[in-house]
Amino acid sequence: MRLLRTPDDRFENLPDFDYPPLYADIDDSEGGVIRIGYVEAGPPDGPPVLLLHGEPSWSFLYRKMLPVLADAGLRAIAPDLVGFGRSDKPADIADHTYARHVEWMRVFAFDTLDLRGVTLVGQDWGGLIGLRLVAENPDRFAAAVAANTGLPTGDQGMPAVWWAFHDAVQKAQVLDIGRFVQSGCKTTLPDEVRAAYDAPFPNEMYKAGPRAMPGLVPATPDNPASDANRAAWDTLTKLDLPFLCAFSDSDPITGPMAPILQRRMPGAAGREHPTLEGGGHFLQEDVGERLAEEVARFVRGLS
């Protein structure tokens, strides 16, 4: 597997994101070593909160949430998925599979950082990967927060707006990362914020991860990941793990998943699930501070 690494100078002068970069080397199942970038905020001995981003963003997406979580006494950990942010980037689209992304994050969180008592916060692909981690490693988790995400199996159709995004990524000769993030926000992003989303990708060679991800979503019942996601649903719907849905009010892609998760997850029963007004798909951008307050309140209520 050929890996690319974004030059450090691409990450200079990022707005409101002066957290020192941290790195973890993980062993890939095929014998290589992959460097994963991440940032942390809050006390090292605080309850760990694992913040997983999605497509095509990176940990920069959580910059509004990190200080709120840290001030609440939580250890907030925001890694970059392999292929994104400061993490190494497999150069070929074929190097990216759903199973590999789940395994890469498992090795990072549990074999390398040895996290226990974790609260997952997953948005977009962060939920697709994170909910698999919960299902397959339930002893490591204290709770889960689903924020504009789901766990598709391909047994139900994907919305038309998702297919439009899927097709746009496939057809784009130049993948405009900043524009795609902006299209999923209700607020207008300043130029320097859009540039920060472009920063991990100096040119098209670095964009195999963002190009691959839409094609990895189990959109049909025979997708290679469908069976694993069905198994995850089977486990999660029997797992009495505290579960919070914190969706925005304006995400046509994942919005319909909120009532399904609330109904099917045992740990969601009897809980007040916030709907964050004014948030698009990337609710961390639009209503990040409010989302962080909901997460902090939820985690504090676990003790």
Side-chain angles (χ1 to χ4, degrees):
M1 183 166 56
R2 184 168 59 96
L3 297 173
L4 302 175
R5 182 169 294 175
T6 304
D8 291 342
D9 62 9
R10 296 278 300 181
F11 300 103
E12 293 178 356
N13 302 316
L14 296 171
D16 302 316
F17 198 65
D18 55 358
Y19 299 94
L22 304 171
Y23 298 99
D25 289 334
I26 67 167
D27 292 326
D28 179 60
S29 59
E30 296 190 4
V33 175
I34 297 174
R35 191 180 79 167
I36 289 182
Y38 66 107
V39 296
E40 281 200 27
D45 59 349
V49 178
L50 183 64
L51 305 164
L52 296 186
H53 71 85
E55 155 83 348
S57 60
W58 61 294
S59 57
F60 177 77
L61 180 67
Y62 283 103
R63 73 194 180 282
K64 297 179 181 180
M65 296 180 61
L66 288 165
V68 178
L69 298 174
D71 288 347
L74 308 180
R75 179 189 178 190
I77 305 158
D80 297 325
L81 297 181
V82 173
F84 297 80
R86 292 187 173 98
S87 291
D88 284 346
K89 298 169 180 63
D92 296 324
I93 290 176
D95 290 330
H96 295 266
T97 69
Y98 195 150
R100 277 185 129 176
H101 277 279
V102 172
E103 177 64 6
W104 287 329
M105 279 296 106
R106 185 199 68 78
V107 174
F108 165 77
F110 305 139
D111 292 356
T112 305
L113 296 191
D114 194 28
L115 299 178
R116 299 174 187 274
V118 179
T119 295
L120 166 74
V121 176
Q123 182 263 342
D124 190 87
W125 262 100
L128 273 73
I129 293 169
L131 292 174
R132 282 276 298 275
L133 290 177
V134 174
E136 295 166 15
N137 309 271
D139 59 314
R140 295 287 189 142
F141 287 89
V145 179
N148 288 4
T149 192
L151 191 64
T153 62
D155 297 313
Q156 290 81 34
M158 299 294 286
V161 64
W162 180 84
W163 280 111
F165 172 73
H166 171 279
D167 294 347
V169 171
Q170 281 201 331
K171 294 174 182 176
Q173 290 189 341
V174 176
L175 200 59
D176 189 336
I177 302 295
R179 183 176 69 83
F180 275 121
V181 175
Q182 175 63 85
S183 70
C185 297
K186 298 292 288 183
T187 51
T188 299
L189 302 182
D191 289 345
E192 61 269 24
V193 170
R194 288 181 59 152
Y197 284 112
D198 291 327
F201 310 106
N203 58 51
E204 297 306 299
M205 290 174 55
Y206 289 77
K207 298 178 185 177
R211 286 191 178 277
M213 295 307 255
L216 302 183
V217 174
T220 58
D222 58 348
N223 184 279
S226 291
D227 284 344
N229 278 16
R230 292 186 190 105
W233 271 105
D234 186 60
T235 298
L236 291 168
T237 51
K238 297 173 183 174
L239 193 64
D240 194 17
L241 186 82
F243 197 101
L244 183 71
C245 292
F247 281 55
S248 70
D249 65 344
S250 300
D251 183 14
I253 297 177
T254 66
M257 281 304 304
I260 296 172
L261 291 168
Q262 292 176 33
R263 184 174 67 249
R264 296 196 61 188
M265 299 299 168
R271 198 176 298 280
E272 184 176 342
H273 300 274
T275 299
L276 301 177
E277 296 182 0
H281 180 63
F282 295 106
L283 74 172
Q284 302 97 318
E285 276 291 344
D286 294 324
V287 290
E289 293 91 346
R290 278 186 280 158
L291 175 59
E293 290 168 359
E294 295 291 350
V295 172
R297 186 179 299 114
F298 175 57
V299 176
R300 285 197 301 263
L302 300 175
S303 57

